[in-house]
Amino acid sequence: MELLLDLLRSVVYGVIEGITEWLPISSTGHMILAEQVLKFSFDEAFMSMFRVVIQLGAILAVLVLYWKKLWPFCADNGRDTGFAKHLRWPVVRLWCKIVVACVPAAVLGFLLDDWLDAHLYNGVVVAIMLIVYGAAFILIERRPRVPATTKLNRITYKQALLVGAWQVLAMIPGTSRSGATIVGGLLCGMSRPCASQFTFFLAIPVMAGASGLKVVKYLAEGSVFTLAEVLALVVGCVVAFLVSMAAIRFLMGYVKKHTFTAFGWYRIALGLVVLGIWALQTYVLV
């Protein structure tokens, strides 16, 4: 019976991950709310790893939806024309920019991963970051601007590095990786669709690396996966994949006609809710 309940909880977590990973509203803030209701039977070591590894399903959705834009090799035409002739160079250059953008977060993430979990994963920090970036979206969208970069192949290495610097800020829980990178992209002169797509692509190496790091640390500490834990991970990843497919399509359609202002107000409201829950647990239910 407990296994069935854990699998149902994994479904809910997968839905939350699939929606909040791509919409700039913070998956961590929603996870904190979910954890008030959904209590897995697993220990905290597994749950710390589970919250990150479930992102693999979301990554797969990006690969499926944008495979043609991300695959750097040409179809084999049956002629031996050399390796370089089989490369789609615009895609190769795009991947180079993705790598450049990932370097800051990759380095600091490896060094600070455990410290961030220990010191910043709490309701106050999450609530503050939800509200701060919510206000940032509102202020940016109120400022009239004409985006200079509307296509992925027009993104410069300088823009990629600046977006990567913004991605570092997403290491603070409650910021939202997509929220930070989209804000960075908008401030760098990208259009909303361009900034959103680049954010999706940045997620592939960053989230894959973070998931791999969590699994390695989990196993290095002597932990062993049980059958129930494996099933929970698989269910969560599958649900996250299916929901991410819909969430990404929704966001790309939405930003072509609307601003990010609504997401800003939503973040502020959610931040106030998270702050209220923290205050209730800290000062009332003690």
Side-chain angles (χ1 to χ4, degrees):
M1 183 63 181
E2 192 63 43
L3 173 59
L4 178 60
L5 291 175
D6 280 334
L7 293 180
L8 291 175
R9 294 175 186 122
S10 294
V11 171
V12 176
Y13 267 69
V15 171
I16 293 172
E17 169 62 26
I19 294 174
T20 61
E21 188 59 53
W22 307 115
L23 304 187
I25 53 178
S26 174
S27 58
T28 304
H30 290 80
M31 289 294 183
I32 285 180
L33 293 180
E35 288 169 2
Q36 306 304 312
V37 180
L38 304 174
K39 303 293 184 181
F40 280 90
S41 63
F42 308 126
D43 59 28
E44 180 53 35
F46 172 79
M47 289 307 302
S48 177
M49 182 268 301
F50 174 85
R51 297 185 196 103
V52 177
V53 176
I54 197 177
Q55 297 173 342
L56 291 175
I59 297 173
L60 184 58
V62 177
L63 290 172
V64 170
L65 287 173
Y66 293 102
W67 181 256
K68 291 183 179 179
K69 289 188 176 183
L70 293 169
W71 182 245
F73 300 105
C74 301
D76 187 1
N77 57 15
R79 294 179 296 175
D80 185 13
T81 55
F83 179 73
K85 296 294 185 181
H86 292 281
L87 291 176
R88 298 168 60 200
W89 287 104
V91 180
V92 172
R93 285 190 288 270
L94 173 61
W95 273 109
C96 289
K97 294 167 187 174
I98 290 171
V99 170
V100 167
C102 289
V103 169
V107 173
L108 291 177
F110 179 78
L111 296 175
L112 301 177
D113 180 60
D114 292 334
W115 186 89
L116 290 168
D117 279 349
H119 295 85
L120 297 184
Y121 192 87
N122 60 72
V124 176
V125 173
V126 170
I128 291 173
M129 299 314 294
L130 280 166
I131 294 170
V132 167
Y133 277 84
F137 272 122
I138 294 171
L139 293 175
I140 289 172
E141 291 292 14
R142 285 184 176 179
R143 185 183 67 179
R145 64 189 188 89
V146 178
T149 306
T150 59
K151 296 182 179 180
L152 288 171
N153 60 8
R154 299 288 186 179
I155 294 174
T156 66
Y157 282 98
K158 179 181 178 181
Q159 287 176 314
L161 186 59
L162 288 172
V163 172
W166 277 89
Q167 186 169 238
V168 170
L169 298 176
M171 295 167 60
I172 303 174
T175 299
S176 169
R177 192 200 60 81
S178 61
T181 51
I182 288 174
V183 166
L186 295 177
L187 292 176
C188 288
M190 297 182 192
S191 66
R192 298 184 194 95
C194 184
S196 298
Q197 278 196 4
F198 194 60
T199 290
F200 299 157
F201 299 164
L202 284 185
I204 298 171
V206 170
M207 291 162 60
S211 298
L213 181 62
K214 281 291 186 182
V215 172
V216 169
K217 287 184 175 181
Y218 181 73
L219 296 176
E221 292 170 355
S223 302
V224 179
F225 287 105
T226 65
L227 177 60
E229 290 171 344
V230 171
L231 289 174
L233 270 175
V234 171
V235 169
C237 286
V238 169
V239 174
F241 165 74
L242 296 174
V243 176
S244 290
M245 295 281 284
I248 291 171
R249 287 188 175 118
F250 163 77
L251 182 62
M252 291 310 300
Y254 181 89
V255 297
K256 290 177 181 178
K257 300 178 180 179
H258 304 86
T259 70
F260 285 104
T261 301
F263 294 115
W265 286 115
Y266 178 85
R267 287 179 64 99
I268 292 173
L270 179 64
L272 293 174
V273 171
V274 172
L275 195 60
I277 291 175
W278 172 83
L280 184 67
Q281 292 177 333
T282 304
Y283 298 108
V284 179
L285 301 178
V286 293

